[in-house]
Amino acid sequence: EDQVTQSPEALRLQEGESSSLNCSYTVSGLRGLFWYRQDPGKGPEFLFTLYSAGEEKEKERLKATLTKKESFLHITAPKPEDSATYLCAVTYGGSQGNLIFGKGTKLSVKP
Amino acid sequence: DTAVSQTPKYLVTQMGNDKSIKCEQNLGHDTMYWYKQDSKKFLKIMFSYNNKELIINETVPNRFSPKSPDKAHLNLHINSLELGDSAVYFCASTIASGPNEQFFGPGTRLTVL
């Protein structure tokens, strides 16, 4: 059973069409939930860390939220340059500080 | 001013060969990692290492071994390469082991023929 599940696997949006990506987790003792952006041929780029339910963080058109079971990455009025794969990862009591990643959501934003 | 760098960017080799990938970070971080990203883009932890402790993912074959000459470097040695080792390998670092953001290198695409 996957510990971190992201949905949808792929999302195609028109420029300006707001939407949300989901990351659900089943681990116990969450210590941190991370969002990364990965462009083709590059390493993951850190976006946000969330530590406790109810926490929210924003950066430009992106807003990340966290509940006890899942996190959402809200994208407001996306632009083509937001196209990338968005990765969610968690650390928890049993992961020894290691990041456990989901399989990502590939976002395409068409002009 | 690259934070985490890896060499080479691409590595093409024959089955059975031994190869190394180098990683350097100039962030002053204490903990470094190696991840493997398979053809389906799934990132999985292989090793984490600080100057006191090496933690190995139990699924990693012992043909893979990390070597750290100093705190800023964590190299990955792979012996007797197999076709299934083909993947992109990422190095990462963090200020200290724990729920801290990790910074990733650009990746090394390994192709085993």
Side-chain angles (χ1 to χ4, degrees):
Chain A
E1 178 186 329
D2 287 348
Q3 296 171 300
V4 181
T5 303
Q6 291 188 245
S7 62
E9 288 187 15
L11 181 62
R12 302 180 76 171
L13 299 174
Q14 288 296 127
E15 184 171 3
E17 180 186 1
S18 300
S19 189
S20 296
L21 314 183
N22 178 263
C23 171
S24 62
Y25 58 93
T26 59
V27 301
S28 299
L30 181 77
R31 298 184 68 196
L33 185 141
F34 302 80
W35 283 99
Y36 284 83
R37 168 191 172 128
Q38 186 173 24
D39 292 297
K42 296 190 175 181
E45 175 188 347
F46 170 74
L47 293 173
F48 304 108
T49 308
L50 301 167
Y51 293 106
S52 56
E55 192 174 358
E56 300 182 352
K57 289 195 177 170
E58 285 188 69
K59 179 180 179 180
E60 296 181 354
R61 295 177 292 282
L62 301 177
K63 179 180 177 180
T65 62
L66 180 64
T67 72
K68 289 186 177 180
K69 293 184 179 180
E70 59 192 348
S71 176
F72 291 93
L73 184 65
H74 306 277
I75 304 177
T76 302
K79 298 182 178 181
E81 52 262 43
D82 294 323
S83 297
T85 295
Y86 290 85
L87 300 169
C88 172
V90 301
T91 62
Y92 64 102
S95 71
Q96 299 172 306
N98 295 329
L99 291 178
I100 309 300
F101 278 88
K103 295 180 179 176
T105 293
K106 185 174 182 179
L107 174 66
S108 299
V109 182
K110 301 300 182 186
Chain B
D1 61 346
T2 303
V4 182
S5 60
Q6 296 179 228
T7 54
K9 175 76 172 171
Y10 300 97
L11 182 55
V12 181
T13 188
Q14 299 288 329
M15 277 176 54
N17 284 349
D18 302 338
K19 290 293 178 185
S20 296
I21 305 172
K22 295 185 177 181
C23 176
E24 176 181 3
Q25 54 94 4
N26 62 6
L27 297 167
H29 286 169
D30 283 336
T31 304
M32 297 182 72
Y33 305 83
W34 278 104
Y35 288 84
K36 179 180 181 180
Q37 189 169 45
D38 61 25
S39 57
K40 296 184 178 179
K41 310 297 184 185
F42 189 34
L43 261 172
K44 286 193 72 174
I45 181 72
M46 299 178 71
F47 306 99
S48 65
Y49 184 81
N50 62 28
N51 58 4
K52 297 177 183 177
E53 189 177 16
L54 170 66
I55 299 173
I56 303 171
N57 183 317
E58 61 189 13
T59 65
V60 174
N62 58 15
R63 299 181 294 102
F64 291 78
S65 58
K67 298 279 195 305
S68 180
D70 56 56
K71 203 172 81 164
H73 296 83
L74 183 65
N75 303 324
L76 182 64
H77 297 271
I78 315 169
N79 295 326
S80 303
L81 278 155
E82 300 178 358
L83 292 176
D85 297 333
S86 296
V88 182
Y89 292 85
F90 289 98
C91 176
S93 73
T94 190
I95 190 164
S97 180
N100 303 304
E101 55 265 31
Q102 296 179 16
F103 295 87
F104 284 77
T108 295
R109 180 174 292 278
L110 171 66
T111 302
V112 182
L113 303 175

